[in-house]
Amino acid sequence: MALLIRGGTVVNADARKRADVYIEGDTIKAVGADLEVPSGVEVIDAGGQYVMPGGIDPHTHMQLPFMGTVASEDFFTGTAAGLAGGTTMIIDFVIPAPQQPLMEAYRTWREWAEKACADYSFHVAVTWWGEGVAEDMGTLVTEEGINSFKHFMAYKGAIMAEDEVLYNSFCRARDLGAIVTAHAENGELVYQLQKKLMAEGQTGPEAHPLSRPPAAEGEAANRAARLAEVIGVPLYLVHVSTKDALDEIIRARLAGQRIYGEALAGHLLIDDSVYKHPDFDYAAAHVMSPPFREKRHQDVLWKGLQSGNLQTTATDHCCFCADQKAIGRDDFTKIPNGTAGVEDRLAVLWTHGVRTGRLTMEEFVAATSTNAARIFNIYPRKGRVDVGADADIVVWDPEASKTISAKTHRQNVDFNIFEGMEVTGLASCTISQGKVRYTRGELRVEKGEGRYIKRPAFTR
Ligand code: URQ
Ligand code: ZN
Ligand code: ZN
């Protein structure tokens, strides 16, 4: 199977150039102007379009069992929706229950992900410490190609990792040449504020952001950064949503610490006014953690991306339909946390990033693909349009536009946090493993075509 992408402008994180791209099998074989290729090769006309590395979403939760229910998007529908939006790889999360062997949970998630139609990998969460955890972490790194371990500092009574767990896991990850990642909110503070708000009769979704103030994120970001500094392990903070947390990253980076930050497309564009909406379903649909914030944080996050203090963008795609969100109708602490985004991330960031001048095209590529590949050690196999790289490519039509809506999206959820948003800049064709999987509105996917991508440990 061979493909020629003709007439486009190739955009990588470091440069752009007018070039054709020739693919054989699942690998890019040539990149250059006016390529001569064998006859009979399928040609994709990329004239007037950009040819970029397929998006990598480093933060998704397909079919996650969480807060008494299961996320409505599974690995097939979620990776298909990603392909429709130009994302060709996800990094999801194995989240063991406390006391559950990490390898047991890992095998379960691997089974679930078999149905994926695009490439995937996993961060493995360390939700407890004890007999076998260190050993399983070792097996995951040396045999399963896991090089990142997640820590939830929130969700007390469920998957929250206390400092002792953080300390032990961070040390073990360091010794294995792995990176640690963290959901940085002070879970005890959130738990106490939730109790206080409920006792005061504030039971609706409007209380959700009140229980998770920016200070709760800033404290945990500092604690995670300080632990990582003393222990000597690289740290990646997921869904950085506030100036408070970003300031901690900047402080640590200025001190020479190896620390990275991720911004969600939602946190860059949606503010906390959504929780004041009178309709429960609307407000509850936006309940995720950390919550959408006051507008002032959005400009800070955009500046974080522009300055390189935040390196990646993601979606934290974790879908719950209205009937699931209604579990928390009388108690906001029981509303399953999570929102969607895997299909819309690139179009939203192109429209509000590149078209506004906040990001150059190269910075867009870095933030949607290349930096995640670099940080999680799969670059340049992923995250670059170049000879020898995987043929995961998005042909991007900068003039195509649409209105985002749950009525038309491919995500398996009945709500879209970007509902009604006009976006300009869309994937016209998405290529995964050298095959056209999406073209001009048509998905050509089959369950099981996705590959599990191993990510090697970092050389010490
Ligand atoms: O915290 C996370 O990242 C998971 C449980 C998804 N939910 C959320 O609200 N972010
Ligand atoms: Zn989280
Ligand atoms: Zn998450």
Side-chain angles (χ1 to χ4, degrees), residues 287-300:
V287 168
M288 67 160 298
S289 295
F292 297 112
R293 301 291 188 181
E294 287 175 83
K295 255 195 177 325
R296 64 186 174 87
H297 293 286
Q298 291 169 15
D299 287 344
V300 171

Side-chain angles (χ1 to χ4, degrees), residues 263-319:
L264 299 189
H267 283 137
L268 286 162
L269 289 155
I270 295 167
D271 66 63
D272 60 355
S273 61
V274 295
Y275 300 116
K276 299 183 178 74
H277 197 286
D279 176 60
F280 171 85
D281 288 347
Y282 181 90
H286 289 87
V287 168
M288 67 160 298
S289 295
F292 297 112
R293 301 291 188 181
E294 287 175 83
K295 255 195 177 325
R296 64 186 174 87
H297 293 286
Q298 291 169 15
D299 287 344
V300 171
L301 295 179
W302 279 109
K303 286 187 172 62
L305 284 176
Q306 289 169 329
S307 61
N309 285 312
L310 292 174
Q311 291 75 29
T312 65
T313 61
T315 62
D316 202 354
H317 188 85
C318 188
C319 302

Side-chain angles (χ1 to χ4, degrees), residues 441-457:
E442 181 201 350
L443 270 171
R444 301 176 180 169
V445 293
E446 282 163 42
K447 283 189 180 181
E449 288 170 328
R451 297 171 302 189
Y452 171 67
I453 302 297
K454 289 191 167 188
R455 295 179 287 116

Side-chain angles (χ1 to χ4, degrees), residues 268-441:
L268 286 162
L269 289 155
I270 295 167
D271 66 63
D272 60 355
S273 61
V274 295
Y275 300 116
K276 299 183 178 74
H277 197 286
D279 176 60
F280 171 85
D281 288 347
Y282 181 90
H286 289 87
V287 168
M288 67 160 298
S289 295
F292 297 112
R293 301 291 188 181
E294 287 175 83
K295 255 195 177 325
R296 64 186 174 87
H297 293 286
Q298 291 169 15
D299 287 344
V300 171
L301 295 179
W302 279 109
K303 286 187 172 62
L305 284 176
Q306 289 169 329
S307 61
N309 285 312
L310 292 174
Q311 291 75 29
T312 65
T313 61
T315 62
D316 202 354
H317 188 85
C318 188
C319 302
F320 299 102
C321 294
D323 59 339
Q324 296 173 288
K325 293 280 190 175
I327 294 169
R329 186 170 293 280
D330 302 321
D331 177 350
F332 74 91
T333 70
K334 293 191 169 45
I335 299 173
N337 283 209
T339 57
V342 75
E343 182 175 352
D344 301 316
R345 178 177 58 125
L346 269 61
V348 161
L349 290 171
W350 184 275
T351 302
H352 295 280
V354 178
R355 288 179 62 87
T356 60
R358 285 177 167 134
L359 297 175
T360 66
M361 290 181 209
E362 291 82 357
E363 289 166 343
F364 171 86
V365 168
T368 59
S369 182
T370 308
N371 285 349
R374 285 177 178 144
I375 292 166
F376 296 111
N377 211 16
I378 46 178
Y379 180 84
R381 175 186 176 188
K382 301 285 189 185
R384 184 173 184 82
V385 178
D386 208 346
V387 175
D390 282 6
D392 290 357
I393 291 173
V394 57
V395 181
W396 194 259
D397 182 343
E399 298 313 321
S401 62
K402 72 172 183 181
T403 301
I404 292 176
S405 174
K407 297 183 186 66
T408 51
H409 72 198
R410 288 175 173 79
Q411 298 167 141
N412 187 32
V413 64
D414 58 6
F415 194 85
N416 191 310
I417 56 173
F418 303 114
E419 186 73 32
M421 183 184 284
E422 290 282 332
V423 287
T424 300
L426 298 174
S428 67
C429 177
T430 307
I431 294 155
S432 164
Q433 302 176 35
K435 296 190 181 74
V436 173
R437 295 301 183 200
Y438 171 78
T439 177
R440 292 281 180 207

Side-chain angles (χ1 to χ4, degrees), residues 28-69:
I28 297 172
K29 295 294 186 200
V31 178
D34 306 323
L35 289 181
E36 292 298 319
V37 297
S39 61
V41 169
E42 183 183 349
V43 177
I44 294 167
D45 177 4
Q49 301 186 73
Y50 299 107
V51 181
M52 305 186 289
I56 298 172
D57 190 336
H59 192 153
T60 62
H61 299 279
M62 303 304 175
Q63 61 193 92
L64 174 69
F66 190 54
M67 295 180 74
T69 184

Side-chain angles (χ1 to χ4, degrees), residues 206-223:
E206 73 285 350
H208 178 66
L210 306 178
S211 69
R212 311 182 92 100
E217 184 178 355
E219 184 280 331
N222 173 267
R223 183 155 38 103

